[in-house]
Amino acid sequence: MNNNSEWISAGYVTEGVSEKIDLVKEINRLKKEKNAIIMAHYYQVKEIQEIADFVGDSLALAQQAAKTNADIILLAGVFFMGETAKILSPDKKVLVPDLNAGCSLADSCPADAFEAFVKQYPNHEVVTYVNTSAAVKALSDIVVTSTNAVAVINSIPKETPILFGPDRNLGNYLQGLSGREMILWDGACHVHEKFSVEKIAQLKKDHPNALLLAHPECKKPLLIMADFIGSTAALLKYSVENKSKEFIVATEAGIIHQMQKASPEKLFIPAPPMDSTCGCNDCEFMKLNTLQKIYLTLKHEYPEVYVDEDIRLKALKPIERMLDLSAKLKL
Ligand code: 13P
Ligand code: SF4
């Protein structure tokens, strides 16, 4: 455990770094020296995606964390992703570049309030989205990501009532697709809720051939307009396989790096939020991670993710249930 009080209060290593240091070279050296792996979510800045050993959506990151041989996992994403990696790989050291990289959706579901909510619905299957704290996962029967949510809901016997949390938009979307009524927790992601339907409708007029791709965390009026709805990995796959040359992308703008890399000849337009003059929608938590913080995190092996062992064991069961089902369905 590190005792540097300045780092502890900042939530990351605050040490200055000389401009002469080649961060990419140093990160690669430290990775090798410490047998560390960098796993990055699609919403990271492109420099981080490029230096990562593995880039993926939240399901792929969890799958990778469960099977890596590295001694250290550096998770460049948000805190719940680091926690999920630690739950699955308790013997590894799991590092995150900045402890302040939280998630508004996970924060919209405090464990004590969720526990009281769950108690009101005894007999319900408690299905939670992976964007939650370990303590909320520990209260769950099964975890889902946006890649496997439909398959998980469909795997639950029809006569079993379902309680779903914390994302109301994903929950509504799943109710529509599965035809199952579910008790929903009233949470949301501030990034996906702030896309402007009006500005997107204008963009569609300006680019009549562009297809609108949307993440299911977006609000219903936007999802109704979308040509394709899916997880970040599904949106990327669709953009590669679909013959269209133009796409409007309604999720965090970091994903566009992989889309553009896979299809350099296509045009990807970030969907604009309501309240900004810039054209794209960034998750400020995801964007707290920088190459400099990754370098310092690997150098000092700080900040590290810890999960209480009792909570870890309880949270492990619903995550493993999800991974087993995903493996069976080849997701
Ligand atoms: P994915 O599961 O599609 O990676 O989404 C994670 C996330 O945080 C979406 O906001
Ligand atoms: Fe959380 Fe939303 Fe950021 Fe995803 S985009 S990490 S759901 S705040």
Side-chain angles (χ1 to χ4, degrees):
M1 178 88 71
N2 195 288
N3 280 326
N4 189 319
S5 58
E6 191 185 318
W7 298 359
I8 292 169
S9 61
Y12 61 93
V13 180
T14 53
E15 182 179 290
V17 174
S18 157
E19 278 180 11
K20 289 189 192 129
I21 287 191
D22 181 337
L23 290 173
V24 172
K25 203 168 140 200
E26 282 303 297
I27 290 169
N28 281 326
R29 181 184 65 74
L30 287 167
K31 270 197 320 195
K32 220 167 160 189
E33 188 182 299
K34 300 189 179 210
N35 188 27
I37 181 175
I38 298 182
M39 304 196 336
H41 189 266
Y42 286 131
Y43 295 165
Q44 294 301 289
V45 291
K46 63 174 184 279
E47 295 76 18
I48 295 180
Q49 294 191 36
E50 286 302 309
I51 202 158
D53 301 282
F54 183 82
V55 185
D57 69 348
S58 35
L59 175 62
L61 292 174
Q63 288 166 327
Q64 197 64 24
K67 66 178 186 207
T68 179
N69 292 322
D71 296 316
I72 294 178
I73 299 171
L74 187 148
L75 204 312
V78 289
F79 188 73
F80 77 79
M81 294 174 180
E83 251 185 358
T84 306
K86 185 67 183 175
I87 292 166
L88 285 161
S89 288
D91 301 333
K92 316 250 182 242
K93 191 175 251 192
V94 177
L95 305 173
V96 291
D98 188 335
L99 289 172
N100 301 302
C103 165
S104 63
L105 179 52
D107 289 348
S108 71
C109 189
D112 49 353
F114 191 67
E115 186 171 17
F117 184 66
V118 165
K119 280 196 180 131
Q120 288 175 44
Y121 301 97
N123 307 324
H124 283 59
E125 186 84 342
V126 179
V127 182
T128 56
Y129 193 30
V130 71
N131 296 41
T132 51
S133 64
V136 166
K137 290 183 177 79
L139 297 164
S140 311
D141 293 310
I142 189 160
V143 168
V144 302
T145 72
S146 41
T147 289
N148 57 27
V150 180
V152 169
I153 298 293
N154 287 338
S155 76
I156 299 170
K158 287 264 179 296
E159 58 284 4
T160 307
I162 297 174
L163 180 155
F164 180 83
D167 191 272
R168 58 176 172 247
N169 297 315
L170 177 61
N172 273 319
Y173 172 69
L174 292 171
Q175 290 196 119
L177 273 190
S178 64
R180 302 283 291 267
E181 270 213 27
M182 305 192 288
I183 301 292
L184 298 183
W185 178 264
D186 193 19
C189 157
H190 72 304
V191 176
H192 287 86
E193 283 219 317
K194 88 179 169 205
F195 285 113
S196 163
V197 168
E198 290 75 21
K199 289 185 191 173
I200 293 170
Q202 185 58 49
L203 266 179
K204 280 196 106 178
K205 270 191 200 153
D206 298 343
H207 299 266
N209 297 322
L211 297 184
L212 175 61
L213 311 181
H215 196 281
E217 286 174 26
C218 296
K219 285 179 170 176
K220 194 169 180 180
L222 198 158
L223 295 182
I224 288 171
M225 288 165 70
D227 296 290
F228 181 74
I229 300 167
S231 64
T232 47
L235 298 181
L236 172 60
K237 186 166 181 273
Y238 186 86
S239 76
V240 172
E241 291 173 355
N242 191 281
K243 287 196 169 59
S244 298
K245 292 277 178 255
E246 292 180 27
F247 299 89
I248 300 166
V249 183
T251 189
E252 213 270 2
I255 184 68
I256 292 180
H257 175 58
Q258 294 297 332
M259 290 177 168
Q260 199 70 79
K261 213 171 145 179
S263 307
E265 75 291 0
K266 296 182 182 178
L267 177 67
F268 295 99
I269 308 162
M274 284 178 271
D275 58 353
S276 144
T277 44
C278 92
C280 65
N281 201 354
D282 278 333
C283 171
E284 70 269 36
F285 300 114
M286 287 278 182
K287 264 44 186 199
L288 283 175
N289 299 327
T290 60
L291 276 188
Q292 176 165 322
K293 283 182 188 163
I294 288 177
Y295 161 64
L296 290 170
T297 297
L298 279 177
K299 181 175 168 194
H300 295 287
E301 300 182 19
Y302 184 87
E304 184 173 352
V305 176
Y306 297 96
V307 180
D308 171 87
E309 185 59 8
D310 181 46
I311 295 210
R312 189 190 75 78
L313 290 173
K314 288 184 182 140
L316 181 62
K317 280 191 203 157
I319 298 175
E320 282 189 333
R321 227 183 118 192
M322 165 187 83
L323 291 178
D324 290 348
L325 187 69
S326 298
K328 221 190 288 169
L329 299 171
K330 298 194 171 32
L331 291 170

